[in-house]
Amino acid sequence: MDRPDLRETNVFKGFLRLSSEIGSDILKTQGAGGNTSIKDDGVMWVKASGTWLAKAEAEDIMVPVVVDRLVSALRDGDPRAEKSTDFIVSELNSSGLRPSIETSFHAALENPVVAHYHCVNAIALAVLENRDIELAHRMRTVADLTWVTIPYRRPGTPLAREIEKAAASRPDVLILFNHGIIVCGDTLEEVADRIERVTKALAQGTRETISPDLATLDAIAEGSGFHPARDHDSHAVALSEVNRAIALGGSLYPDHVIFLGTEIGVLQDGQSAADFQAALHNEGRDVPKMLIVPDKGVLLSSSLTAGGEVMARCLAEVVGRIPSESNVVYLSESDEYELMNWEAEQYRQALDRESARQTA
């Protein structure tokens, strides 16, 4: 049976444009994070795993899957729902890529258009102990929209099963604890409007910090496998005592764990990055990918790709929005272990490294 091909339609071009806009906003999407989908006549086009939404109009990054079979697999506990590769419409899959690790929840949501992204304002609120109160207060300004919260679950089928429970009520917005946000709608225009309104409702300012000391950071990094963060705003993590305390308290959301690991190093006064590396090597310990130099700035491992480096900016944006003296809910050690040892995320990291080699 031939399946419909949306790719030459204006609707699909609009879908790619919306995807690119979401992916190009650092406050919404960082690197390969986030994913979008559009359904038509039983087929759902969804972002491919490991690709960047920002490149949606320039590259072939959307993968077609059969919706009803995938939803049935999810409901039946069929392990094939995890990767979703068995539900690809092969004759339309010109990219040859596999669908997003979150394809199953896109299928579970009944709306024709779904946008999931890692909004830093949403994350900063969704990691708070009193997040239900804080979110309810802000979402009052968009009272015509229905919204629900989803407890933290590992991305993939565990998260999809939680979302599937809420799907029948067709919520307009789903806020995922320690993860991000989903905005749904019947049309591209409706989703774009809802994104704009919800973004405004959740917006909050960042904590003021001092400026990074790039000259000192260069000196501290000399002779090591580290360099000062290239993105100026990424340094904010190190430039406020409150920001440092929140960042060092634990892992806040999945992509930080995947791309930066579970530990952040802190250099002592007068300590060089090379000395820090040597000390950890002598102890047989792994060297963190991100180092904080208090009141100076952030050093990042030279092994990080662009996808990894942008996660430092995401962390700065999130911790800078968490109010001082707030109680924060971090991912557990088991949550971290689950993410670090998950094949789907190892695949996404491999694509990130391959992309870096191709653009070098």
Side-chain angles (χ1 to χ4, degrees):
M1 175 181 174
D2 291 337
R3 293 287 183 173
D5 188 347
L6 276 183
R7 285 174 293 184
E8 296 305 317
T9 68
N10 288 331
V11 169
F12 195 78
K13 292 173 184 176
F15 168 62
L16 297 180
R17 184 166 55 252
L18 176 63
S19 300
S20 178
E21 289 171 356
I22 295 169
S24 299
D25 185 344
I26 192 68
L27 300 185
K28 293 187 175 74
T29 308
Q30 308 78 32
N35 31 74
T36 55
S37 68
I38 186 167
K39 303 180 185 75
D40 179 69
D41 198 18
V43 172
M44 178 176 73
W45 293 83
V46 64
K47 194 203 77 167
S49 179
T51 59
W52 292 41
L53 276 177
K55 301 177 181 180
E57 292 184 286
E59 299 180 4
D60 185 8
I61 66 167
M62 297 298 173
V63 179
V65 297
V66 180
V67 177
D68 55 358
R69 289 173 50 213
L70 176 52
V71 173
S72 294
L74 177 67
R75 291 174 177 169
D76 293 343
D78 186 333
R80 296 181 302 159
E82 178 78 345
K83 294 182 182 178
S84 303
T85 50
D86 285 355
F87 309 100
I88 292 173
V89 184
S90 300
E91 64 271 22
L92 299 179
N93 188 27
S94 52
S95 73
L97 295 171
R98 77 193 214 185
S100 166
I101 55 178
E102 295 174 322
T103 294
S104 52
F105 84 56
H106 280 266
L109 291 164
E110 298 177 11
N111 309 79
V113 182
V114 175
H116 164 54
Y117 51 98
H118 300 159
C119 169
V120 297
N121 285 294
I123 295 173
L125 294 167
V127 300
L128 300 178
E129 191 175 82
N130 65 337
R131 49 201 170 191
D132 291 301
I133 295 171
E134 292 292 338
L135 288 167
H137 173 70
R138 286 166 173 77
M139 291 297 287
R140 283 197 203 106
T141 62
V142 286
D144 59 309
L145 299 182
T146 59
W147 64 282
V148 297
T149 58
I150 303 295
Y152 176 79
R153 296 290 184 270
R154 173 179 65 72
T157 50
L159 176 59
R161 291 189 187 103
E162 286 292 337
I163 290 174
E164 205 266 337
K165 296 175 185 176
S169 65
R170 290 179 66 95
D172 302 319
V173 178
L174 300 90
I175 299 174
L176 316 181
F177 288 169
N178 294 84
H179 188 147
I181 193 167
I182 302 171
V183 179
C184 310
D186 291 333
T187 65
L188 295 168
E189 294 76 15
E190 189 171 56
V191 170
D193 176 69
R194 288 173 177 176
I195 288 173
E196 182 177 356
R197 294 172 61 211
V198 171
T199 297
K200 184 177 180 180
L202 299 181
Q204 48 200 320
T206 57
R207 189 173 294 105
E208 290 189 12
T209 67
I210 60 177
S211 298
D213 186 343
L214 298 179
T216 297
L217 290 174
D218 279 327
I220 291 172
E222 188 174 355
S224 74
F226 286 84
H227 62 269
R230 297 180 178 95
D231 184 309
H232 183 276
D233 292 332
S234 296
H235 293 285
V237 174
L239 303 176
S240 155
E241 185 176 354
V242 175
N243 287 359
R244 292 194 294 272
I246 295 171
L248 294 170
S251 301
L252 293 165
Y253 45 88
D255 269 7
H256 178 90
V257 175
I258 296 306
F259 289 98
L260 290 178
T262 59
E263 291 188 36
I264 299 174
V266 181
L267 298 191
Q268 302 303 310
D269 189 30
Q271 186 179 31
S272 72
D275 288 342
F276 181 85
Q277 279 182 295
L280 289 186
H281 283 147
N282 289 338
E283 296 173 10
R285 296 168 55 195
D286 292 334
V287 179
K289 297 176 182 177
M290 178 176 178
L291 304 180
I292 286 176
V293 185
D295 298 326
K296 303 298 181 186
V298 165
L299 299 178
L300 297 176
S301 171
S302 297
S303 67
L304 283 178
T305 63
E309 291 214 10
V310 77
M311 285 302 130
R313 170 68 182 275
C314 182
L315 181 63
E317 296 290 353
V318 171
V319 300
R321 286 171 165 77
I322 296 174
S324 304
E325 301 181 359
S326 295
N327 291 323
V328 176
V329 180
Y330 295 97
L331 300 183
S332 68
E333 289 185 8
S334 61
D335 292 333
E336 293 174 335
Y337 180 85
E338 199 174 29
L339 289 165
M340 296 294 286
N341 293 276
W342 184 25
E343 184 277 338
E345 285 294 14
Q346 292 168 357
Y347 169 80
R348 190 159 66 121
Q349 291 180 74
L351 285 182
D352 193 47
R353 290 190 294 271
E354 180 61 27
S355 176
R357 283 194 291 269
Q358 292 174 355
T359 57

